[in-house]
Amino acid sequence: MKQSNRRPSAGFGAIAAIFVLVVLASLAAAIVRLGQSTQTGSAQDILGARAWTAARAGTEWGLYQALKGSWSTCSGVSQTLDLRADTGVRVTVRCSSSIYQEGQDSTGAAQTVRLYTIDAVACNSTSACPDNARAVQPGYIERRRQVQATQ
């Protein structure tokens, strides 16, 4: 009887090499995807910070208009500020006010206080903020800031 000289592990090296290549390709694809997600997240963080800064500027501008500028009664006034050249966002500033009685002075006359509410919404829209049509799209950033002041 003749004995065969065939090795039982012939061809195993090629299968192992293909397996290693598939694993390395999968790992490379996962790393690339993670890098893209990180880059997108960082870009949205930067846009969010710019929108927050623009909303803060909008509330400060609105307070100035209400307390020292042309919005003395501040009854439903609204204006959109275009800050796209500086921050890449627009800010819609709205103002409303209410008058409250705060007791009486020493002569018995009623003291009134006006409460101003300034609402600023900053977004990276091409129209006024908030932009409900763009809010469902990726890449849309919106920040809202509201302040109250009395006079």
Side-chain angles (χ1 to χ4, degrees):
M1 199 171 226
K2 213 174 183 186
Q3 225 177 12
S4 171
N5 288 343
R6 289 172 67 195
R7 295 185 338 206
S9 63
F12 179 73
I15 294 172
I18 291 172
F19 177 75
V20 168
L21 285 175
V22 168
V23 169
L24 289 176
S26 299
L27 184 61
I31 290 171
V32 168
R33 185 168 175 95
L34 179 65
Q36 288 174 343
S37 297
T38 303
Q39 185 177 10
T40 302
S42 295
Q44 286 183 331
D45 286 344
I46 291 169
L47 283 174
R50 287 180 180 171
W52 178 254
T53 302
R56 181 175 179 188
T59 55
E60 291 175 3
W61 180 84
L63 281 172
Y64 177 82
Q65 293 300 320
L67 299 174
K68 306 254 183 208
S70 61
W71 290 359
S72 59
T73 59
C74 205
S75 57
V77 178
S78 175
Q79 186 167 347
T80 299
L81 307 174
D82 189 359
L83 303 177
R84 287 182 294 172
D86 297 325
T87 61
V89 297
R90 288 178 178 256
V91 183
T92 300
V93 182
R94 291 181 178 84
C95 183
S96 62
S97 68
S98 303
I99 296 178
Y100 296 97
Q101 298 294 329
E102 284 288 323
Q104 299 176 343
D105 63 9
S106 60
T107 63
Q111 289 185 330
T112 60
V113 173
R114 182 177 294 271
L115 176 68
Y116 295 97
T117 302
I118 309 294
D119 186 44
V121 180
C123 69
N124 59 346
S125 175
T126 55
S127 61
C129 298
D131 188 350
N132 295 331
R134 284 209 54 215
V136 296
Q137 296 176 352
Y140 177 75
I141 300 294
E142 177 182 302
R143 297 294 183 265
R144 178 182 297 266
R145 187 165 191 255
Q146 188 177 72
V147 296
Q148 293 183 326
T150 59
Q151 185 179 30

